Amino acid sequence: MGRSVALVGDSSGKYPSGNSLMVLGTEEVVLIDPSLAVHARGGPPESVDRILVSHAHEDHVVGLASFPAAHVHAHEDDLLGIRSLEGFMTIYGMPSDIALDWQAEVVAEFHYSPREDATGFVDGQRFDVGGTRIEVVHLPGHTRGHSGFLIEPDGVFFVADIDLSSFGPYYGDHWSDLEDFERAIERCRGIDARHYVTFHHKGVVSDRTEFLTALDQFRAVIDTREARLLAFLAQPRTMTEMVSHRIIYRPDTKLLFLDHVEKTSIAMHLRRMVRTGAVIEVEPGWYRTAA
């Protein structure tokens, strides 16, 4: 991949690990999304001048304090999550009964440390690091500021957490947006690259047809979830019942934030289906399919 080097995490970057990307310019070395794997290895194999963060989630900002001399950048919409722990937790929007436990976990397990000196970037902004250019591609939905990076002349497109996983798109935070995520997927489809790098699971995909097929399968999970929800709403249901039914996760999944993610994600589908007339609210808090 030319001057771009994938730092592959454990199990191909399966969460909580991830696949960082190092870009070796003639003037600067850039690290994109420092992962648990990079942290466990004592840092990247080169001294880092600049860190680009695709979005403010725990597994993408591991040990930022380990790079005190590096300039840190994130999209301006996610910047508050890089600058302070309070801002970081705002993005998740978790209820108080789990928020403190999650906050403790991101500090202890993901070595979160704020970077008050971090600066924001915007869509289309370019970083010229000497013979290599990194262009920001804003891909919101996962978070408001979630972004990919197009590295030229290497022809590398780092798509971050549009990760092509079988789980599908994650839009379970307070700052997530289902329809923004769908538009972000379509934007990825329109960008022609020689290599596509995901932060999780796939790692490096060097065939465009393979990438597009995987992208379609990833996108189709949204429709599958919506179909499952519609089927469950054949009779009136409350949000509590929908969350317990597990539309997003498998029934046996155990996660601290599972109910929060289910509720947040289902609410997005529900709002859309009510808006389109596919679902009706038969009485306050009770929903069923319109047909």
Side-chain angles (χ1 to χ4, degrees), residues 131-158:
T132 304
R133 184 182 69 247
I134 305 171
E135 181 175 343
V136 176
V137 182
H138 189 204
L139 302 169
H142 186 59
T143 67
R144 291 177 185 172
H146 181 269
S147 298
F149 303 99
L150 183 61
I151 297 100
E152 297 290 7
D154 295 357
V156 173
F157 186 23
F158 182 84

Side-chain angles (χ1 to χ4, degrees), residues 34-256:
S35 69
L36 275 176
V38 168
H39 188 271
R41 295 166 189 164
E46 301 281 345
S47 177
V48 172
D49 301 293
R50 197 176 299 275
I51 296 175
L52 302 182
V53 179
S54 66
H55 63 290
H57 270 172
E58 71 283 357
D59 47 333
H60 297 255
V61 297
V62 179
L64 284 179
S66 301
F67 306 92
H71 300 286
V72 177
H73 308 269
H75 191 278
E76 60 184 14
D77 287 344
D78 274 16
L79 195 56
L80 82 169
I82 308 299
R83 288 179 170 171
S84 76
L85 183 56
E86 180 182 10
F88 191 74
M89 294 302 297
T90 297
I91 291 173
Y92 294 103
M94 292 182 177
S96 58
D97 61 330
I98 61 171
L100 287 178
D101 287 341
W102 178 239
Q103 179 175 301
E105 186 170 329
V106 300
V107 173
E109 302 299 328
F110 293 91
H111 314 286
Y112 176 88
S113 53
R115 287 294 298 260
E116 296 179 4
D117 60 327
T119 58
F121 53 63
V122 296
D123 184 46
Q125 186 168 332
R126 295 177 176 179
F127 296 87
D128 190 341
V129 298
T132 304
R133 184 182 69 247
I134 305 171
E135 181 175 343
V136 176
V137 182
H138 189 204
L139 302 169
H142 186 59
T143 67
R144 291 177 185 172
H146 181 269
S147 298
F149 303 99
L150 183 61
I151 297 100
E152 297 290 7
D154 295 357
V156 173
F157 186 23
F158 182 84
V159 294
D161 273 6
I162 298 182
D163 58 20
L164 312 181
S165 66
S166 59
F167 174 79
Y170 175 97
Y171 38 90
D173 292 343
H174 176 58
W175 275 19
S176 300
D177 187 285
L178 172 58
E179 288 165 347
D180 276 352
F181 210 136
E182 291 172 329
R183 286 187 286 267
I185 291 170
E186 287 308 304
R187 188 174 188 190
C188 287
R189 168 175 285 281
I191 295 178
D192 193 359
R194 291 192 293 277
H195 310 281
Y196 300 86
V197 182
T198 69
F199 187 75
H200 296 298
H201 300 286
K202 290 290 185 180
V204 180
V205 178
S206 298
D207 179 272
R208 178 163 171 77
T209 299
E210 179 185 347
F211 171 75
L212 293 177
T213 298
L215 190 66
D216 287 342
Q217 293 169 345
F218 181 72
R219 166 64 179 81
V221 174
I222 294 174
D223 297 331
T224 299
R225 291 169 180 165
E226 205 147 287
R228 290 180 61 204
L229 184 56
L230 277 170
F232 188 62
L233 295 177
Q235 61 185 37
R237 308 281 190 179
T238 65
M239 177 60 77
T240 299
E241 290 176 303
M242 289 181 253
V243 168
S244 297
H245 188 64
R246 298 293 183 244
I247 300 297
I248 308 300
Y249 286 99
R250 292 190 300 267
D252 60 345
T253 303
K254 305 295 182 185
L255 290 170
L256 173 66

